[in-house]
Structure formats: C-alpha cells, structure tokens
Amino acid sequence: QERLVQSGGGSVQIGDSLNLSCAASSADTYGRFYLKTWFRQVPGKEREAVATIYGRRSDTYYVDSIKGRFTISQDTAKGTWYLQMNSLEPEDTGMYYCAADLNAPYGGRWTAAVEYNFWGQGAQVTVSS
C-alpha cells in the first residue's frame, strides 16, 4: 500500500506563509497518480479539498476560499507536490492532508474525499491573531 509522507505545517500569525509538501514513495509511483490533492479538516467538520493537480496535463484547480493565496505545485523528479500558503487567516487553521489516486474521479469530482485511495499522515496548521 502506497504511503504518502507529508512535511511542513506549524503555528503562525495572520498574514504569514507556510509550505506543505507531500512525497510519494518513488517518482515512478508519483507519475502514475491521476489526482494529487490537498485537503484540510477542522474538528467536527468533513474533510474539505482545497487544491488539486488534476490529470495527465496537470491542470490545477482551487476552491474559492483559498484562490489567490494558496498555490499547488509539483516536482515530478522528486515525486513530490506542494502547497504554498500565503496570507494565512485564522479560518485556514486545520489539519492538512495530501491525497492521491490513480484514477480520474467519478464525474470529475476531485473534491470528494471518497475518490482517493492514498493519504498522507496529516500536518497541523494553526493561524492565530
């Protein structure tokens, strides 16, 4: 079973930046992923997708709440993708997870957690005022 290994996260102030990374076990494995996505979750709420690298063309998509502030990117040679988070707000606080899958999501629903078979261990991001 493929394990994704995350790094990054931490506690910052409003307006600060953080970078998260997520590594596959190998570049070869990474190259087979159709979806590479970042989710976040706060206690009592469902896991929410925030950004994805989608498909063989590596199109990127973002949810409205983080557009213009977060950037998803990848280094295929390293088998790693990233989430650069700028202008952080308290509402960005949560546990961030990377997720991947080998297949296209049903109906193009990249935001649905059920579409993903591989997950990272999670990283806490806390933004305080």
Side-chain angles (χ1 to χ4, degrees):
Q1 179 75 2
E2 172 69 12
R3 284 186 60 209
L4 305 176
V5 179
Q6 293 182 226
S7 61
S11 296
V12 296
Q13 302 291 314
I14 289 178
D16 284 351
S17 298
L18 282 174
N19 187 271
L20 305 177
S21 65
C22 181
S25 58
S26 70
D28 180 66
T29 297
Y30 185 85
R32 296 189 291 129
F33 287 152
Y34 191 93
L35 291 171
K36 285 92 69 174
T37 301
W38 288 99
F39 285 78
R40 66 184 179 192
Q41 189 170 25
V42 297
K45 292 191 176 182
E46 292 188 357
R47 206 164 285 192
E48 171 197 29
V50 296
T52 192
I53 298 172
Y54 187 107
R56 303 306 175 201
R57 297 186 308 177
S58 295
D59 294 327
T60 57
Y61 298 102
Y62 300 89
V63 297
D64 288 344
S65 61
I66 56 88
K67 277 183 182 177
R69 299 189 298 120
F70 291 11
T71 302
I72 191 169
S73 62
Q74 64 182 344
D75 185 331
T76 56
K78 293 183 178 179
T80 301
W81 72 103
Y82 306 93
L83 187 67
Q84 176 65 37
M85 304 183 290
N86 298 329
S87 302
L88 283 162
E89 303 168 352
E91 293 73 22
D92 297 317
T93 294
M95 186 70 77
Y96 283 71
Y97 296 90
C98 61
D101 203 79
L102 301 175
N103 300 307
Y106 180 78
R109 297 183 310 152
W110 66 268
T111 57
V114 296
E115 296 291 338
Y116 296 83
N117 282 297
F118 309 112
W119 291 87
Q121 78 274 22
Q124 179 66 36
V125 171
T126 303
V127 184
S128 55
S129 56

